[in-house]
């Protein structure tokens, strides 16, 4: 209710300036009226969104939240991070508790068709994997027949694991715990033979174990497709467009060799692709309800896709592989920004 009232009042409450005009998006107008983006994240997933030693939420998904704030508000720091679980994440978005969900959520037909939500694109190509205790001697997922497997409820992992075992005529006993810390503790203690979730999250967890990481083995099989991306509510097309193209802009920036350090000088570039992306030419930002310098603000304040990946994901030992740009053999491909 509060967000509905704010969206109606946003145009009059906002002062003059580049971000003052009504966007045509109730969500963006409400965000601007409040002066902050409410972004749903995990908060416990190293590399993606977790609290560092200073209590600051860092990681690739946290940085995407900041990129959206930079585009919409002109300031990447204007984010209020809301920590959500795998069970309450979609409800929080549906209810308006958060404006945007960026929490290792898999883009799947059932979710878009039944939850009133839309995925804006893929920021990370992933897949379901299995982590085991090295002492178990298990070297392949096919060695898990009859195993107990720790799984977070309300995730696509449940279905992916079930499908894999059925395909191979195997059985398993799920251990469902709706708290990632408790789930990991159960695995550490030996209550589960294996811990299954997105392979990236398993690598993140293993990395966070420090010296004990050597006691854990990530099995080679990736048994499902898990394209992860931001999620918004249906019914606000301008907001959907903005979030989707912010992701594409970060990919396009990497392809064009634009970085947070070089983007200022690039404003003088004669390259028409760069000039349109940075808002020097055209009115592409205004068409989405954003300032024409929206992408410039994203790149300058947050960086391109590689600048987010390198400090967050690379230290986990996860290769970019399918998360490379299409020009380097990966799956990431930004449509033309023109």
């Amino acid at each position: 209710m509060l967000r509905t009232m704010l969206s109606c009042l946003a145009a009059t409450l906002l002062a003059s300036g580049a971000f003052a005009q009504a966007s045509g998006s109730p969500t963006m107008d409400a965000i601007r009226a409040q002066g902050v983006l409410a972004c749903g994240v995990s908060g416990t997933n190293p590399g993606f969104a977790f609290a560092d030693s200073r209590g600051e939420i860092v990681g690739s998904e946290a940085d995407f939240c900041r990129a959206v704030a930079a585009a919409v508000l002109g300031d990447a720091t204007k984010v209020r991070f809301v920590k959500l679980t795998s069970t309450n994440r979609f409800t929080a978005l549906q209810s308006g508790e958060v404006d945007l969900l960026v929490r290792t959520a898999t883009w799947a037909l059932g979710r878009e068709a039944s939850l009133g939500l839309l995925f804006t694109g893929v920021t990370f190509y992933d897949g379901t994997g299995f982590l085991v205790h090295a002492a178990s001697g298990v070297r392949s997922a096919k060695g898990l027949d009859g195993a107990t497997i720790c799984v977070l409820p309300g995730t696509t992992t449940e279905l992916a694991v079930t499908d894999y075992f059925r395909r191979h005529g195997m059985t398993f006993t799920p251990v469902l715990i709706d708290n990632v810390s408790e789930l990991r503790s159960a695995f550490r203690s030996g209550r589960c033979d294996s811990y299954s979730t997105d392979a990236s999250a398993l690598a993140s967890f293993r990395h966070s174990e420090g010296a004990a990481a050597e006691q854990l083995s990530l099995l080679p099989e990736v048994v499902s497709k898990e394209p992860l991306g931001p999620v918004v509510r249906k019914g606000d097309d301008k907001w959907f467009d903005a979030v989707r193209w912010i992701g594409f802009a970060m990919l396009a920036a990497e392809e064009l060799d634009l970085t947070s350090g070089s983007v200022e000088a690039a404003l003088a570039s004669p390259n028409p692709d760069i000039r349109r992306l940075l808002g020097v030419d055209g009115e592409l930002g205004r068409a989405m309800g954003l300032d024409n310098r929206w992408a410039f603000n994203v790149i300058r304040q947050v960086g391109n896709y590689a600048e987010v990946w390198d400090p967050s994901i690379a230290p986990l030992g996860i290769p970019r592989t399918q998360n490379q740009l299409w020009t380097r053999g990966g799956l990431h491909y930004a449509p033309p920004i023109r």
Side-chain angles (χ1 to χ4, degrees):
M1 180 65 70
L2 176 60
R3 286 193 171 277
T4 301
M5 293 172 61
L6 286 170
S7 66
C8 294
L9 293 171
T12 55
L13 289 175
L14 287 167
S16 62
F19 294 88
Q21 294 183 353
S23 65
S25 160
T27 306
M28 279 196 281
D29 291 345
I31 292 168
R32 288 169 179 162
Q34 293 191 116
V36 66
L37 168 73
C39 198
V41 297
S42 164
T44 59
N45 196 3
F48 293 87
F50 73 109
D52 65 9
S53 59
R54 299 168 297 172
E56 181 180 356
I57 301 296
V58 297
S60 63
E61 293 180 337
D63 280 345
F64 189 86
C65 296
R66 293 187 175 97
V68 174
V72 176
L73 296 170
D75 187 342
T77 68
K78 293 184 177 180
V79 180
R80 177 170 61 85
F81 292 104
V82 181
K83 296 181 182 180
L84 301 172
T85 68
S86 60
T87 300
N88 69 10
R89 55 185 167 169
F90 295 122
T91 302
L93 181 58
Q94 290 166 331
S95 68
E97 180 183 350
V98 296
D99 306 303
L100 173 66
L101 177 66
V102 191
R103 191 197 179 283
T104 53
T106 298
W107 187 358
L109 170 61
R111 287 175 170 173
E112 279 201 339
S114 62
L115 297 180
L117 305 175
L118 285 172
F119 286 77
T120 65
V122 180
T123 53
F124 191 98
Y125 289 96
D126 210 342
T128 298
F130 298 93
L131 193 68
V132 299
H133 300 280
S136 69
V138 175
R139 297 291 178 265
S140 167
K142 291 183 179 178
L144 292 174
D145 191 13
T148 55
I149 300 181
C150 280
V151 179
L152 278 169
T155 65
T156 55
T157 302
E158 289 184 75
L159 181 59
V161 172
T162 299
D163 286 350
Y164 176 79
F165 276 75
R166 284 178 177 171
R167 283 196 301 270
H168 294 281
M170 298 158 54
T171 62
F172 76 101
T173 301
V175 177
L176 304 175
I177 302 175
D178 185 26
N179 180 291
V180 68
S181 296
E182 293 177 10
L183 188 75
R184 291 170 175 175
S185 293
F187 172 64
R188 287 191 197 95
S189 69
R191 181 178 169 188
C192 311
D193 300 309
S194 177
Y195 168 29
S196 183
T197 187
D198 294 340
S200 62
L202 295 176
S204 171
F205 165 61
R206 185 177 183 276
H207 176 79
S208 71
E209 292 293 279
E214 295 182 0
Q215 301 172 23
L216 304 175
S217 295
L218 185 59
L219 300 183
E221 291 88 351
V222 174
V223 302
S224 70
K225 294 183 291 184
E226 305 294 332
L228 311 179
V231 195
V232 299
R233 291 180 292 275
K234 286 184 177 178
D236 190 339
D237 292 346
K238 288 281 190 181
W239 177 232
F240 171 83
D241 289 345
V243 176
R244 174 169 62 176
W245 285 96
I246 289 165
F248 286 147
M250 297 175 79
L251 294 172
E254 182 181 1
E255 188 173 342
L256 291 167
D257 292 323
L258 295 174
T259 68
S260 55
S262 69
V263 70
E264 190 87 38
L267 289 170
S269 171
N271 185 326
D273 291 327
I274 290 177
R275 293 178 67 83
R276 283 190 292 265
L277 176 64
L278 301 185
V280 178
D281 294 340
E283 297 285 326
L284 294 175
R286 205 170 286 275
M288 293 190 294
L290 300 172
D291 182 80
N292 285 331
R293 294 293 178 91
W294 64 281
F296 172 81
N297 289 327
V298 169
I299 300 162
R300 183 181 61 178
Q301 297 181 40
V302 180
N304 64 32
Y305 186 90
E307 288 182 281
V308 169
W309 177 284
D310 290 344
S312 298
I313 307 300
L316 304 179
I318 300 174
R320 275 191 68 171
T321 54
Q322 68 265 39
N323 286 295
Q324 281 284 6
L325 297 177
W326 67 284
T327 53
R328 299 171 188 167
L331 299 178
H332 281 305
Y333 185 109
I337 298 179
R338 59 173 183 257

